[in-house]
């Protein structure tokens, strides 16, 4: 998924679908701060992180072993811009 200026940021979620955990990889052109929030299929917040993104590839790992099966929505907020990525979590 490309985000904002497509030359500045690339976002990948893997594995997808996932069983008990997944990784969010953000390839970034500049140092930035990001808020990452994960919502369950009903829109309930299940995880929230503030991360500092360095230039290049950045990875954030999520342990979803306790989460029920479903499609989870990841919102990444950088410089007041939003991006959504869907992840299917299978237990």
């Amino acid at each position: 998924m490309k985000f904002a200026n497509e030359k500045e940021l690339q976002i990948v979620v893997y594995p997808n679908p996932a069983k008990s955990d997944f990784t969010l990889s953000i390839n970034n052109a500049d140092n930035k701060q990001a808020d990452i929030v994960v919502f369950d299929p009903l829109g309930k917040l299940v995880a929230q992180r503030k991360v500092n993104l360095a230039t290049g590839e950045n990875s954030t790992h999520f342990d979803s072993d306790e989460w029920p099966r479903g499609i989870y929505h990841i919102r990444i907020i950088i410089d007041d811009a939003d991006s959504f990525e869907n992840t299917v979590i299978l237990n």
Side-chain angles (χ1 to χ4, degrees), residues 22-70:
F22 64 93
T23 300
L24 176 66
S25 175
I26 302 172
N27 195 335
N28 190 42
D30 297 316
N31 294 333
K32 296 182 182 184
Q33 188 171 41
D35 292 306
I36 301 170
V37 290
V38 182
F39 298 96
D40 74 7
L42 299 175
K44 179 182 172 191
L45 179 69
V46 294
Q48 183 171 7
R49 296 197 184 149
K50 188 175 291 278
V51 296
N52 292 315
L53 301 176
T55 301
E57 188 169 334
N58 301 267
S59 295
T60 302
H61 182 79
F62 289 89
D63 181 6
S64 55
D65 194 40
E66 302 287 321
W67 301 358
R69 290 175 42 174

